Amino acid sequence: EREREREREREREREREREEREEREREREREREREREREREREREDRERSLQREREFNERALEREREERVRERAVYLEQVLASKGVLTSRGIYEHMLTIMHIEMKLPGKFNATNTCHYIKNNLQSLSGKSFLYTKSFLDAMNSCNFDANNLAPLYTELCSAIHGAPWSGPGVAVNVHSLSDGAQGASACLLLKIADILKLPLAVA
């Protein structure tokens, strides 16, 4: 009887060892599966980083292309305005508004007054954008303490009379003395800064 008990004990011991081996094997398999999952995760992360780099590259390329188109359009408009002899105070202001209309991709045909209202109503959101000319224009407004509410009225004022002589010779005539807020006012300051933004040779009339 004792021998049979010892045999049963040995059998139970062998069974425990077998279970432990199986459990160790299952644990190794679980570890291998975890490693395979980590590897898949690394591959997913690598693919995502690669896709992100590609997206950023494409976005930068599109941004450079967009800025180049805006610059080309600005040069073209400047040449057209110069050839027509209309780069007066009004011409300079309208020229700048046209460029910003294109740069901001506003819908519909260009309208100077509507563009003024859009800028006035979207100052906060526009200040965070990477627009080249629009940012320079907003900086000029801040520098001149120019009130956005006066954007459209300034255009109306410039349209009401001929401000300065048309383009002639190497300079652009910007008549600042006939502006309602005077030669030292915010309107004159803004017009002169626009001419500087557009890199126009300047003659103050």
Side-chain angles (χ1 to χ4, degrees):
E1 180 62 33
R2 284 194 295 272
E3 182 61 33
R4 284 195 297 273
E5 180 61 32
R6 283 194 292 273
E7 181 60 32
R8 285 193 293 272
E9 181 62 31
R10 285 193 293 271
E11 181 62 32
R12 285 194 291 272
E13 182 64 27
R14 286 192 293 269
E15 181 65 24
R16 282 194 296 272
E17 290 175 355
R18 189 166 53 255
E19 290 175 352
E20 288 173 358
R21 285 195 301 270
E22 290 173 355
E23 179 57 31
R24 286 194 295 270
E25 181 58 34
R26 285 193 294 270
E27 181 57 34
R28 284 193 290 270
E29 181 58 34
R30 286 193 290 268
E31 181 57 35
R32 285 192 291 269
E33 180 57 34
R34 286 193 290 268
E35 181 57 35
R36 285 192 291 269
E37 180 58 32
R38 286 192 290 268
E39 181 61 28
R40 287 192 291 268
E41 182 62 26
R42 286 192 291 268
E43 290 175 357
R44 285 193 293 269
E45 290 176 354
D46 288 343
R47 284 195 300 271
E48 183 58 34
R49 281 193 292 268
S50 178
L51 289 172
Q52 182 63 24
R53 286 193 295 268
E54 184 177 349
R55 284 193 295 269
E56 290 174 354
F57 176 82
N58 290 336
E59 287 171 1
R60 288 193 296 270
L62 287 172
E63 181 65 18
R64 288 193 296 269
E65 183 180 344
R66 184 182 63 80
E67 289 181 356
E68 184 59 30
R69 286 199 301 270
V70 170
R71 290 191 189 96
E72 290 174 357
R73 180 65 174 169
V75 171
Y76 169 75
L77 288 173
E78 180 182 330
Q79 292 170 345
V80 169
L81 290 171
S83 68
K84 291 183 177 181
V86 293
L87 269 178
T88 59
S89 298
R90 171 189 168 178
I92 290 172
Y93 192 44
E94 194 169 68
H95 182 36
M96 188 74 211
L97 292 172
T98 302
I99 292 172
M100 290 190 292
H101 173 89
I102 296 168
E103 187 173 55
M104 293 183 293
K105 298 181 180 179
L106 299 185
K109 186 177 179 182
F110 168 72
N111 179 283
T113 302
N114 290 344
T115 303
C116 289
H117 288 314
Y118 182 86
I119 293 170
K120 179 192 73 172
N121 294 330
N122 294 275
L123 279 177
Q124 187 171 358
S125 62
L126 289 174
S127 63
K129 300 291 180 64
S130 60
F131 296 134
L132 178 65
Y133 287 94
T134 305
K135 183 180 184 305
S136 298
F137 182 79
L138 296 178
D139 290 343
M141 286 178 58
N142 290 331
S143 176
C144 294
N145 292 319
F146 188 89
D147 189 338
N149 291 310
N150 292 329
L151 288 171
L154 174 60
Y155 182 70
T156 300
E157 179 182 357
L158 294 176
C159 289
S160 65
I162 298 175
H163 286 262
W167 177 290
S168 60
V172 179
V174 179
N175 190 318
V176 296
H177 297 284
S178 56
L179 294 169
S180 59
D181 57 354
Q184 303 300 318
S187 298
C189 174
L190 182 63
L191 288 171
L192 294 174
K193 284 189 178 294
I194 290 173
D196 184 59
I197 292 168
L198 299 175
K199 302 190 184 312
L200 298 172
L202 192 62
V204 178

